[in-house]
Amino acid sequence: YFYENDYYYASQNNSGEFKISKTTLSVNATSPIKVLNKTTIRGYLLDAMGYGIADVPISIIINDDEVLQTITTEIGSYIIEYSTKIVGINNITAVFEGNESHIKAENSTEIEVKIRPVPTILTITSDDVSINGTNDINLQVTDNERNPLNGTVMLSVDGNFVEVPITNGVGVYQ
């Protein structure tokens, strides 16, 4: 039986020789980023003595959903790039599942993903309206390269703001 110390856990078996090292896994990522830009996720997997653990798989879990895989280098480092469409706080968890000589380790971090500002062109058209008459107000919204956008336009009508949904660059207020 092996008793736990600063570098190794106690053995789980009373026979044989076991040397299973504690591990430390770090994870860092560039933040904040704009949506669709890449963040660089990097870290180190170290044994109890502070030496890098080479050639082992690391799973990178994004928002408890998407899983990426990478392998540590000869010095125990890993690096992977990732881009997301999810605006807000994104959770990143790095996991080493452990092996015959090293125990499992994991660590987490967060990145902030911000909305990408898009220069827009808003074109408003309407036919002439007689007094007390009504008419549709047509909205066309594109980016500065004339690509149609989706979203909502806040339109001021008689001093009140109304939301006009825009689909494929077109919206109509009736």
Side-chain angles (χ1 to χ4, degrees), residues 130-148:
S130 60
I131 297 177
N132 294 326
T134 61
N135 197 11
D136 292 345
I137 299 173
N138 301 298
L139 307 172
Q140 182 179 10
V141 183
T142 62
D143 64 15
N144 60 350
E145 296 174 356
R146 298 284 183 197
N147 297 309

Side-chain angles (χ1 to χ4, degrees), residues 34-36 114-122 141-150:
K34 297 229 182 338
V35 69
L36 300 178
K114 295 183 175 186
I115 294 175
R116 176 183 298 284
V118 177
T120 57
I121 300 168
L122 172 60
V141 183
T142 62
D143 64 15
N144 60 350
E145 296 174 356
R146 298 284 183 197
N147 297 309
L149 300 177
N150 296 316

Side-chain angles (χ1 to χ4, degrees), residues 1-22:
Y1 184 82
F2 180 78
Y3 293 98
E4 182 172 340
N5 63 29
D6 289 341
Y7 301 108
Y8 301 101
Y9 281 118
S11 66
Q12 301 298 315
N13 193 325
N14 290 334
S15 64
E17 183 177 325
F18 297 93
K19 292 183 181 178
I20 299 179
S21 176
K22 292 181 182 180

Side-chain angles (χ1 to χ4, degrees), residues 14-157:
N14 290 334
S15 64
E17 183 177 325
F18 297 93
K19 292 183 181 178
I20 299 179
S21 176
K22 292 181 182 180
T23 56
T24 303
L25 181 64
S26 65
V27 60
N28 296 295
T30 50
S31 179
I33 62 168
K34 297 229 182 338
V35 69
L36 300 178
N37 280 12
K38 291 181 179 177
T39 185
T40 301
I41 304 166
R42 65 181 73 215
Y44 286 92
L45 178 63
L46 306 175
D47 66 14
M49 301 293 287
Y51 295 110
I53 302 170
D55 302 318
V56 295
I58 302 292
S59 298
I60 307 295
I61 304 165
I62 312 293
N63 296 322
D64 295 324
D65 180 40
E66 188 172 355
V67 179
L68 311 172
Q69 298 291 329
T70 189
I71 302 290
T72 58
T73 66
E74 64 277 355
I75 61 170
S77 68
Y78 66 90
I79 187 168
I80 193 167
E81 289 188 332
Y82 174 75
S83 85
T84 182
K85 296 178 182 177
I86 300 173
V87 174
I89 299 299
N90 283 236
N91 297 302
I92 299 173
T93 302
V95 179
F96 166 62
E97 289 296 338
N99 59 24
E100 64 280 351
S101 56
H102 299 94
I103 65 163
K104 178 179 179 174
E106 68 179 70
N107 204 343
S108 297
T109 190
E110 295 179 338
I111 60 170
E112 180 183 8
V113 180
K114 295 183 175 186
I115 294 175
R116 176 183 298 284
V118 177
T120 57
I121 300 168
L122 172 60
T123 305
I124 301 175
T125 58
S126 179
D127 293 330
D128 291 334
V129 180
S130 60
I131 297 177
N132 294 326
T134 61
N135 197 11
D136 292 345
I137 299 173
N138 301 298
L139 307 172
Q140 182 179 10
V141 183
T142 62
D143 64 15
N144 60 350
E145 296 174 356
R146 298 284 183 197
N147 297 309
L149 300 177
N150 296 316
T152 303
V153 169
M154 296 298 292
L155 184 65
S156 177
V157 179

